[in-house]
Amino acid sequence: MGKLSNRNIAVLAANGFEESELTSPVQRLKEEGATVHIISLESGKIQGMKHDREWTVEIDVDKVVTEANADDYQGLLIPGGVLNPDSLRKDEDALAFVKAFFEAGKPVAAICHGPQVLISAEVVKGRNLTSTKTIKIDLVNAGAEWEDSEVVVDQGLVTSRSPDDLPAFNDKIVEEFAEGVHDGQHA
């Protein structure tokens, strides 16, 4: 039995996700016994990118965000990539899905550019986060406390900077998803 047996984890992603920031955490979550569903804006497949320069793997979408219910999941993962969060943050259903995790106190993890979705969902004010340095000012302007660390955990909110941080990020998401609801997590 893994640390995440009997846990359902949602991965919110769209075309242009950074390949390693989706595939590495998903692999780790599954190794720990989690059931992982890829949630996206449209059905079919979404395609990843490597370093925002070349298209790579295609991943099957398990559910469209309009059909997904945050009540069915114990955690949420948002990978980075430049295109991925830009698509997600414009979609009201995706933002409502994200907010529902915060309102329920469930753990949420975002890496690299992924926290841009959290900015648009208006859930970063007063929270400690990290991200790729290119969106630091966006997070600060949205009221977050930003720090340059490989992984930052704030009451169930786990963030990291880049694919280089995946080992630490993966360890922390397993830990936080295993812990479950955090009283300090808020919308």
Side-chain angles (χ1 to χ4, degrees):
M1 290 281 271
K3 294 178 183 176
L4 299 177
S5 295
N6 304 316
R7 295 266 200 309
N8 296 322
I9 306 299
V11 178
L12 183 61
N15 280 316
F17 64 87
E18 178 65 35
E19 178 185 342
S20 64
E21 294 172 359
L22 184 146
T23 58
S24 175
V26 165
Q27 178 183 342
R28 179 68 186 279
L29 293 169
K30 288 180 176 180
E31 287 170 358
E32 294 290 347
T35 299
V36 179
H37 290 158
I38 306 298
I39 313 295
S40 194
L41 305 177
E42 297 176 7
S43 61
K45 294 182 181 290
I46 54 175
Q47 192 166 15
M49 294 191 88
K50 187 171 184 178
H51 308 300
D52 301 312
R53 288 190 289 274
E54 63 182 88
W55 291 100
T56 61
V57 299
E58 287 188 332
I59 304 286
D60 290 324
V61 171
D62 295 304
K63 288 188 179 181
V64 176
V65 72
T66 55
E67 301 166 347
N69 185 336
D71 293 341
D72 297 334
Y73 300 95
Q74 287 75 49
L76 173 65
L77 168 66
I78 305 170
V82 173
L83 299 177
N84 174 54
D86 198 49
S87 295
L88 295 173
R89 69 192 307 200
K90 295 183 285 191
D91 188 280
E92 291 301 321
D93 294 313
L95 297 178
F97 187 68
V98 171
K99 285 180 188 179
F101 281 86
F102 282 85
E103 289 165 357
K106 295 179 182 179
V108 174
I111 186 168
C112 200
H113 287 81
Q116 288 179 312
V117 180
L118 304 179
I119 292 169
S120 294
E122 299 178 338
V123 294
V124 300
K125 188 173 185 178
R127 302 303 295 269
N128 296 316
L129 289 95
T130 194
S131 66
T132 180
K133 287 182 182 179
T134 59
I135 66 166
K136 171 186 174 181
I137 192 69
D138 302 320
L139 284 162
V140 170
N141 286 340
E145 295 292 327
W146 189 90
E147 67 179 79
D148 188 13
S149 299
E150 68 179 355
V151 65
V152 174
V153 180
D154 180 355
Q155 297 291 321
L157 175 59
V158 182
T159 52
S160 279
R161 302 171 299 194
S162 73
D164 293 339
D165 300 329
L166 281 167
F169 181 71
N170 290 346
D171 287 346
K172 281 298 181 186
I173 66 173
V174 168
E175 181 181 323
E176 296 301 308
F177 290 168
E179 287 177 6
V181 172
H182 290 70
D183 292 336
Q185 181 74 300
H186 57 82

